[in-house]
Amino acid sequence: MRSRRSRPLRRAAAEATLLFVWLTSLLPLRACRVVGRGLGLVAYWFVPRVRKVGLENVDRAYGDSLTAREKRSIARHAAMNIGIVGAEFSHGPRLPTERGRTWFDVEGIEHLDPAKGCLFVSGHMGNWEWMFGMLACVGIHVAGVVRPLDVQRLDEYVDRTRRAAGSETIGRDNAGPEIIRRIRGGEAVGLLIDQSPMQNGVPVTFFGRAC
């Protein structure tokens, strides 16, 4: 259970986030990417946890196959990518526009049948926030399973922005029956699997470690 003292901090962080996405919505997409890349670098160098977790994960994945310098480069660019995702987020509703369609390409769409239900499985790679919106632009409407955010005002903004880009959302809590119902009904559901399940998690060994 979260402590009460953390609530004001969460609210302050939510308000700062809303201000940030409002500011980035005023900037051209190219400028947003520059800002996001810079913020990612700042986080990497000045937020110890960002650098520590990133390097630990890269080390687990690559072991001794990469040099320390190569590992630092991967962790640094991962932080930069997260910054870019955040800076691009407010532009998601523009994906269905003529200008927005020039921002991406979708390959392999011929392998999908819009009339059949399916499950898309991915991780938090690239710009995961745009994935379902981009698919909606080419005729594949996906309901994404998401974790509701702790601050209601921020959660409402994020959900509204995702839906404006053409995707639906399914709350993660007790989502199983809804996922099955939609797939059986011929709909597509998207799931980002690199998350920690709070309930009913199955212990597995991943990169040689129990998780």
Side-chain angles (χ1 to χ4, degrees):
M1 183 178 292
R2 300 178 186 274
S3 67
R4 290 186 177 182
R5 286 182 294 179
S6 68
R7 292 177 184 173
L9 293 177
R10 294 204 304 272
R11 291 197 189 97
E15 292 301 326
T17 300
L18 288 168
L19 176 61
F20 173 72
V21 294
W22 175 74
L23 290 173
T24 54
S25 71
L26 303 177
L27 297 175
L29 187 63
R30 183 175 298 179
C32 287
R33 289 170 174 164
V34 173
V35 171
R37 192 178 296 114
L39 287 178
L41 275 175
V42 170
Y44 177 81
W45 288 115
F46 296 101
V47 182
R49 186 175 182 275
V50 171
R51 186 168 63 255
K52 179 176 181 293
V53 172
L55 290 173
E56 285 179 352
N57 287 336
V58 172
D59 191 55
R60 290 174 183 176
Y62 291 97
D64 297 329
S65 64
L66 296 180
T67 65
R69 182 177 182 179
E70 289 172 324
K71 291 176 183 178
R72 288 194 297 269
S73 177
I74 292 173
R76 185 171 63 253
H77 280 84
M80 292 164 62
N81 182 70
I82 292 175
I84 293 171
V85 172
E88 289 181 339
F89 182 75
S90 62
H91 289 259
R94 299 172 189 170
L95 290 173
T97 66
E98 183 176 351
R99 173 64 174 166
R101 288 173 183 266
T102 66
W103 296 341
F104 65 91
D105 293 305
V106 178
E107 298 181 358
I109 196 69
E110 66 276 8
H111 301 298
L112 298 175
D113 184 349
K116 293 184 178 180
C118 66
L119 179 66
F120 288 97
V121 177
S122 184
H124 289 82
M125 300 180 294
N127 188 337
W128 63 88
E129 285 291 348
W130 279 12
M131 282 194 293
F132 302 148
M134 289 187 289
L135 285 170
C137 288
V138 294
I140 306 294
H141 296 278
V142 184
V145 180
V146 301
R147 182 185 76 83
L149 301 179
D150 298 324
V151 178
Q152 183 178 356
R153 201 161 90 88
L154 179 60
D155 183 64
E156 290 174 350
Y157 166 78
V158 169
D159 189 68
R160 186 168 61 250
T161 303
R162 286 169 172 161
R163 290 176 180 273
S167 61
E168 292 185 68
T169 56
I170 301 172
R172 188 179 70 178
D173 294 339
N174 301 313
E178 179 67 10
I179 293 173
I180 294 172
R181 184 189 69 80
R182 285 178 178 264
I183 293 176
R184 285 178 173 172
E187 299 181 49
V189 176
L191 183 64
L192 300 180
I193 60 172
D194 52 340
Q195 304 180 63
S196 296
M198 300 302 294
Q199 301 175 17
N200 303 320
V202 178
V204 297
T205 300
F206 189 66
F207 285 117
R209 298 182 181 231
C211 60

